[in-house]
Amino acid sequence: MDDLRDKYIDLIARAEDEAALEDLRVQAVGKKGQISLQMRELGKMTPEERQVAGPKLNALKDEINAALSAKKAALSDAALDARLKTEWLDVTLPARPQRQGSIHPISQVTEEVSAIFADMGFSVAEGPQIESDWYNFDALNIPSHHPARAEMDTFYTHRDEGDNRPPHVLRTHTSPVQIRSMQAQGAPIRVIAPGRVYRADYDQTHTPMFHQIEGLAIDRDISMANLKWCLEEFAAAFFEVDHIEVRFRASHFPFTEPSAEIDFRCSWEGGTLKLGEGDDWLEAGGSGMVHPKVLEAAGVDPNEWQGFAFGLGIDRLAMLKYGIPDLRAFFESDLRWLKHYGFAALDVPTLHGGLSR
Ligand code: PHE
């Protein structure tokens, strides 16, 4: 018995992993292990012999079991130590250099515009960039034969052969969000919807993806006068001047009636743009009173409700405010450009804190 004991205590001490330990357990105290076999021998002994050998064998079994579990605990401690050694982190290393990245001017301007309209009681709404042609066109009073569909240089998605449903489109403007938010909220409603829009066009002032911000205000007695006031408030706050005159130029959009192009008074004297003074006008976007058919399509009763909508180009606003000459550079992901025109991450625009640096 002493030999058995010495043998297993030694083997257990030298086991290198849990699998080896398990093999030893089976060999020693498993059902057919050496110690179990010895216990079976007890039956052949005289009662006197059994009284001596029985307790000894039991004590041996206990001792080996205890050695097995102590070794098992030691092995898993060692495994944990080894893992911790590979996962250490030197908290005394110097911090990474500041301002590796920056906030893109489009993001910054979107935040600025949102802050200004939020202050006037507009909340922010969103819609999908891949849009059904119903939301992008039909619901906005642009039926399938309408020339506006062709004018917009629409990107169409692909349908399988034999699938005759109209294809989805990459939204050509943020106006479908008018429909989606009226459907979701009904009237009265006051929302703005900034986001990406797409048209197949590319030159110094056009990129196939660009950004708009849609505005929508529906109530019982909203008029073009309210629209003009909102746009003037917006322009003055955005360009950080006391007052900017807004001019409406008669225009046509299928989803507004009457419709007006939005111009801001400005001057280009000496090649620099000044807003709010001078004899020039800056085109900023389209607007008008929401067409009754559009209200109807969105489930809002045009006999009870009316209001305005507008769409402004975010990219253009960013170029004008921050003096960025080429639109295409916005989307080239050149870090040097971003470092020059970008904003610090904590430079969050608020009306009270100042919109820009
Ligand atoms: N959706 C129009 C465009 O992209 C702009 C617009 C919006 C005009 C809302 C009127 C009202 O050109």
Side-chain angles (χ1 to χ4, degrees):
M1 249 184 247
D2 286 344
D3 287 350
L4 259 184
R5 178 192 170 278
D6 291 347
K7 173 183 160 192
Y8 280 110
I9 294 297
D10 180 51
L11 284 173
I12 290 168
R14 283 191 287 139
E16 274 176 7
D17 53 33
E18 292 199 17
L21 206 57
E22 176 60 13
D23 284 347
L24 284 172
R25 190 191 66 76
V26 173
Q27 269 180 50
V29 294
K31 265 201 186 122
K32 288 181 184 161
Q34 268 189 300
I35 292 171
S36 312
L37 292 179
Q38 292 277 327
M39 283 185 156
R40 272 182 223 165
E41 300 292 309
L42 290 173
K44 296 177 193 153
M45 292 180 187
T46 63
E48 292 75 26
E49 284 172 329
R50 205 180 299 142
Q51 257 179 13
V52 183
K56 265 192 159 181
L57 264 177
N58 272 323
L60 176 57
K61 193 179 173 187
D62 289 347
E63 188 182 351
I64 287 183
N65 272 327
L68 283 167
S69 52
K71 180 69 180 182
K72 193 171 176 183
L75 281 174
S76 79
D77 280 356
L80 181 62
D81 273 353
R83 211 181 101 202
L84 288 176
K85 275 201 188 103
T86 67
E87 290 177 0
W88 71 282
L89 175 75
D90 184 354
V91 295
T92 67
L93 279 174
R96 294 211 172 94
Q98 297 288 300
R99 289 209 54 186
Q100 276 292 311
S102 62
I103 303 295
H104 196 284
I106 295 293
S107 307
Q108 185 76 6
V109 166
T110 302
E111 290 294 318
E112 292 179 14
V113 178
S114 305
I116 296 168
F117 281 107
D119 204 55
M120 291 191 256
F122 289 76
S123 53
V124 176
E126 282 187 312
Q129 294 173 44
I130 299 172
E131 190 54 283
S132 76
D133 76 335
W134 188 82
Y135 279 106
N136 196 80
F137 295 123
D138 298 75
L140 290 162
N141 195 31
I142 314 175
S144 39
H145 59 266
H146 199 285
R149 289 207 183 198
E151 277 161 28
M152 280 203 178
D153 303 310
T154 311
F155 286 112
Y156 291 91
T157 62
H158 175 76
R159 283 272 189 221
D160 285 341
E161 190 125 357
D163 186 342
N164 292 324
R165 290 173 301 168
H168 282 70
V169 301
L170 297 188
R171 67 177 180 193
T172 57
H173 50 181
T174 42
S175 299
V177 187
Q178 289 184 33
I179 307 294
R180 289 182 176 275
S181 30
M182 283 191 278
Q183 281 181 333
Q185 259 174 264
I189 187 173
R190 231 184 279 182
V191 289
I192 50 164
R196 292 182 170 172
V197 300
Y198 302 83
R199 290 180 203 178
D201 208 352
Y202 190 68
D203 60 35
Q204 196 175 345
T205 51
H206 296 90
T207 48
M209 185 279 299
F210 58 104
H211 300 80
Q212 287 187 334
I213 187 152
E214 194 81 8
L216 174 73
I218 304 291
D219 211 319
R220 295 191 186 274
D221 51 9
I222 289 191
S223 72
M224 290 289 278
N226 301 127
L227 169 62
K228 201 166 188 200
W229 182 87
C230 281
L231 291 169
E232 281 182 346
E233 283 296 296
F234 160 72
F238 180 75
F239 288 106
E240 301 175 44
V241 294
D242 287 340
H243 179 72
I244 290 185
E245 190 183 333
V246 166
R247 178 177 80 174
F248 280 155
R249 233 172 338 108
S251 183
H252 176 265
F253 300 102
F255 32 92
T256 45
E257 180 60 37
S259 302
E261 217 92 36
I262 304 161
D263 295 345
F264 296 148
R265 185 181 283 283
C266 72
S267 77
W268 283 104
E269 235 166 82
T272 49
L273 172 69
K274 275 214 187 91
L275 275 132
E277 51 189 79
D279 297 322
D280 269 331
W281 295 93
L282 201 81
E283 294 179 23
S287 67
M289 294 299 289
V290 178
H291 197 291
K293 282 194 178 168
V294 172
L295 295 174
E296 230 163 62
V300 169
D301 182 356
N303 296 313
E304 255 189 86
W305 306 99
Q306 63 180 41
F308 64 72
F310 61 81
L312 303 170
I314 292 182
D315 317 75
R316 201 169 142 69
L317 287 173
M319 290 168 80
L320 293 168
K321 180 163 178 179
Y322 294 111
I324 308 172
D326 190 336
L327 176 64
R328 288 172 296 194
F330 274 78
F331 311 118
E332 277 167 1
S333 303
D334 186 332
L335 255 185
R336 292 164 302 179
W337 184 92
L338 261 176
K339 279 215 170 102
H340 184 75
Y341 288 111
F343 294 81
L346 294 177
D347 205 7
V348 179
T350 59
L351 279 183
H352 57 273
L355 281 174
S356 55
R357 292 167 296 186

